[in-house]
Amino acid sequence: MITAAAGSPKASPRTVTPTVETVLAFVNTRADGSGRRELFGNGDSFAAWLAERDEFDGETVVTDADAAVARELRDALVTVLLAHSGDEESLGEPLLRAERHLRRVGSLYPLATVVTASGVELASPQAGVPRVFGTVLAAVTTFAQSSDWRRIKACRNPPCHFGFFDRTRNGGGLYCSTGCGSQVSMRKHRQRQRHDSGTPSG
């Protein structure tokens, strides 16, 4: 259940809220070719990941098909977060496909608004795996209503694409770490060197 309590102090633009943590935990389950392994590879690995996350109510019986649905939802969210980073390969048709997929997911896993004297909550009225996906959508929906939605990004350094919360003052961060930023700079430097060495002298 994702809560937006009435009267609670507004979080700093550089504060990672529980909703952000939920979104990042979900999207950062991809293998990246640099040591991170795929956590949604099958039903068993998806179930093991869920058992470690309190916001998903612990152990849930899942299937390989459920893991495939989780991968599709995650990858669509990663595409949106890459768009927040201005990744050119994620813009245009890839982003449109991701947004269409997220609209379909939203219709399959609707949310319920729970109003109390202390605040308003978004929660999934479903159980099991559908509740897991609803919880992710509730976290996305809750945080997306803030002006800081575009601060949740995916690293532009391929194949990293690690989700992160941009704490920079102007919201201009592009990479999850200085290491990834350095890798991109070095890659561009080498490309320029190859281009220059292959350019005929005038």
Side-chain angles (χ1 to χ4, degrees), residues 134-168:
T135 299
V136 173
L137 293 175
V140 169
T141 303
T142 298
F143 191 74
Q145 300 309 305
S146 76
S147 60
D148 299 325
W149 167 231
R150 295 187 67 86
R151 283 184 177 269
I152 307 182
K153 302 178 178 182
C155 181
R156 280 179 58 171
N157 180 26
C160 176
H161 295 337
F162 192 73
F164 68 99
F165 185 71
D166 182 2
R167 293 184 175 88
T168 61

Side-chain angles (χ1 to χ4, degrees), residues 22-29 40 49 56 70 73-74 77 133 136:
T22 296
V23 176
L24 292 180
F26 189 78
V27 300
N28 287 332
T29 54
F40 293 168
W49 181 82
F56 299 115
L73 171 57
R74 177 197 63 194
L77 288 171
F133 299 142
V136 173

Side-chain angles (χ1 to χ4, degrees), residues 55-130:
E55 67 266 46
F56 299 115
D57 293 334
E59 295 184 7
T60 303
V61 176
V62 298
T63 66
D64 290 349
D66 293 328
V69 174
R71 291 194 300 271
E72 290 176 347
L73 171 57
R74 177 197 63 194
D75 293 347
L77 288 171
V78 169
T79 298
V80 170
L81 302 193
L82 281 169
H84 286 178
S85 298
D87 179 70
E88 293 183 358
E89 293 185 3
S90 300
L91 301 177
E93 185 56 32
L95 180 58
L96 291 175
R97 286 198 303 270
E99 291 173 338
R100 285 195 296 267
H101 181 73
L102 291 170
R103 282 195 291 272
R104 288 195 298 271
V105 172
S107 67
L108 292 173
Y109 308 105
L111 303 176
T113 301
V114 181
V115 181
T116 67
S118 59
V120 180
E121 299 171 340
L122 280 180
S124 172
Q126 300 172 298
V129 173

